[in-house]
Amino acid sequence: MSLIPISIDGQSIAARDGQTLLQAAAAAGLDLPHLCAATREGFAPIGSCRTCLVEVEGEAELVPACRHPVHPGLAARTDTPRAARVRRLAVELLASEMSPAAAARHPATPFQLLAARTGADAGRFGHRAGHRPADASHPAIALDPEACIRCGKCRAGCRDVQVNGVIALAGRGDGIHVAFDAGAAMGASSCASCGECAQLCPTGALAPKALVAAGGRAAVTASGETVCPFCSVGCRVTLHRAGEDVVWAEGGDGPANHGRLCVKGRFGFSYLRHSDRLTTPLVRRADAPKDAALSLRGAAVLELFRPAEWDEAMDLAARGFARVRAAHGPHALAVLGSAKGANEDAYLLQKLARTGFGTPHVDHCTRLCASVPPLAEATGFAAVTAPIEEIARAEVVLMVGSNPDSNHPVAASLMKNAFRRGVKLILVDPGTQALSRFATHHLRTAPGTDVALLSAMTRVVIEEGLYDRAFVAGRLEGFEALRARVAPFTPERAAALTGVPAQELVAAARLFAGAGAAMTFWGMGASQHAFGADNIRTVIALALVCGQVGRPGAGLHPLRGQNNVQGSCDAGLLPNYLPGYRPAAQAGRTVVEMFDAARLGEVRGLYVVGGNPAMANPDLAATRAGLARLDHLVVQDIFPTETAAFADVILPAAALAERAGTVTNTDRLVQRIAPAMPPPGDARPDWRIIADMGVRLGLPWADLTVERLFEEMARELPALAGFDWPLLARDGHARYPLRPAGAGDSLFGDGFARGQRASIAPLDASGADETTDADYPFILMTGRLREHWHTGTMTRRSPVLEALSPAPRAHMHPDDLARLGVPAGTQVEVRTRRGLVRLAAAADPAVRPGVVWMAMSFFEAAANELTVNRLDPTTRVPEFKFCAAEVRRT
């Protein structure tokens, strides 16, 4: 993008072509007065408040900086008496919209600061009489209409940036007001609770309740920036505290989110000071035996333990592992990590397993949603080939088995921006979701039939000659085998198997193949099957034969689950790979296999850092049985989890927001983090605890630092060539592999990491482990809610998130509930061949008939009590999306 020389108040700056004067000034670090405008990405100028008026050489009238485009030689003055006078008048007129009481309720807001900056007399024009009552119906956000100046900024954020379309300015003349949906109270509306409106509001008319209760922005005593821990998008977030409590989370201008947040990133940080936080080491009481029949959490877990000093706890932890190793050999030990920590934690933990314990049995919770192995199989590269933001350059998007609006809401907002601009969406999902309304084709497959659907689409592309002949000839191997493999899947046969009409399947295939550039996304709906690798292989095969990789707007992207899922894998926290995906000499056991081995007495000692397999694993009764049989279990976490109930020693860790290090998001962005706040009590960063464990087992780790760990890891990982700590300290982030400026972020325009050609792999040809029958006529599927994350360890300790989604539900189509004679809200029993749970039924027309959908986050009705302990032969991912179930009224 070309640079344009301009000057502002005599200072020369380089603007980018297409920027407004206000955007160019903000990019150069100049603070031009403004109110209704937002300089963040995605905002169109509103131009209503007139507080950004400036003089431009050659223009007779003042111009709004938010709308005025830059051009070569532009010279603007913001500090002239004329501009200052008009801005002051504009602010005084806006101040008349607010009542004096409302202004007093919201001190230190951007509007109040602008009024002080311009010298405005807030009472010069009197005050508009208040017409509407306050709205406190939403659990997290309060509306104070008397503070509203009707600037429209909240509407722009809701409609144009987050694309939720909930907020409008309704009424006429003096009656214009903020409205939600068709006049509903905010708490009863379809609000996604992203908090964008409260972040944007310049007056406090829309504000976080916690911030208002603390006394407004003036009550903030400390602030610090971190990376959100709730998904793989990697949003930067600034935490503002009043005393010890986080009262306001503000989206940081990070490379992944550009100031946006979702409901979890906005209102989910209350867990940091929850009363359940582990603040001191704990040792199991001698009179507290382990019982596999019990499922405990929180305070009930703490009753089984006594407090200890760090030295005592670490001595007991290390001696226990040494004892198991001496008695049964190193293979009797296993290590389970988490993608919720930092790169340095993952790197050091796998090193401890391999050099301190001497065991190959090391894995982490990414295993439960692994979606990258088939991508590495095809390209030789175990990461996305194109980041999410490349969607802006695409013509078509194919999305299989993913619901970004629930699982990756900020990424979903970028997608919705693209769809509104005309990018076409082919959505493959059994149910409906928020993105369904944007889909050109929503292919509602029967559960478990993605291979048939995608094979038929590939057949259409090949038989009609729509494939990229040059790409296939020069850059692909396995094409003829693929042609033979998909030949039986005619559109008509696929329609019979999947329920998708043949003509719609054909139209979708033609649209995808004909796109100049197409992005391909897949998620856990594709990967979390006993045949998940086959699902992903068929997705990748379709994209490759169409040549949809290696160009701007074209690429392959698995939407991954946890905040450091990419970095943890890169760092070697895997049983079959060392750091940098170098094959291990001996592959170890995966997370589910560790517990199978524990039940058999083959694994006797386990170190769990950040994971919660007693909620996350399939067939939880089997997992608890394995935990109860261990000779020695050490759990390191921020809360007393369900897994911690079986521990011999519990070690209190610092949360991600309380420590330094790096994390790597789904887009290959490595971001540096610094403590946004101190950890509570005696909690310590994970890497420091792991290092202490290593020292007690004879490793020379006493002098380790985060910086040294990152530097060592970067030397081990080919993808991090050129990375060092000074680079991240200076820039805050960098995407790997480092590329020259202007090279773009969509990889493999020429060759692939595995060589010149990508590979189309054969299928494992496995199917669902069990099918429905007369006794179990429903298909149970599990997943995540927008308000909760993973096993709920953090989000269910946030009062706002708990208020928005307080209880488990069995989501079923209304027709199914009617057939069973079960009114919505009635308690039902969901039973599979592994167990049963009781919870309320919810009528949900988005769910496909014949399906029961349950969230995995609720301890009191744990969905994984029911799921199948069968693993995909390639990825070793459990079957979370398909098992036979029965539903009956309790």
Side-chain angles (χ1 to χ4, degrees), residues 781-803:
M781 301 175 69
T782 69
R784 295 177 180 173
L785 297 167
R786 180 170 52 203
E787 294 81 13
H788 289 301
W789 186 71
H790 209 231
T791 63
T793 302
M794 296 186 291
T795 55
R796 296 208 65 201
R797 289 177 168 93
S798 164
V800 167
L801 300 180
E802 189 72 350

Side-chain angles (χ1 to χ4, degrees), residues 117 169 302 403 597 612 770 818 828:
R117 178 179 179 181
L169 292 181
L302 297 179
N403 184 351
N612 189 15
E770 57 185 34
V828 295

Side-chain angles (χ1 to χ4, degrees), residues 97 128-133 143 145 148-150 168-179:
E97 296 279 293
R128 180 169 64 96
H131 296 294
R132 296 189 171 272
L143 171 64
C148 180
I149 58 173
R150 302 183 286 184
L169 292 181
R172 294 183 178 181
D174 196 47
I176 291 176
H177 62 280
V178 170

Side-chain angles (χ1 to χ4, degrees), residues 455-466 491 505-506 509-510:
S455 295
M457 291 177 67
T458 305
R459 183 185 189 277
V460 170
V461 169
I462 293 173
E463 292 301 310
E464 295 188 3
L466 302 176
L505 179 159
V506 170
R510 291 170 177 167

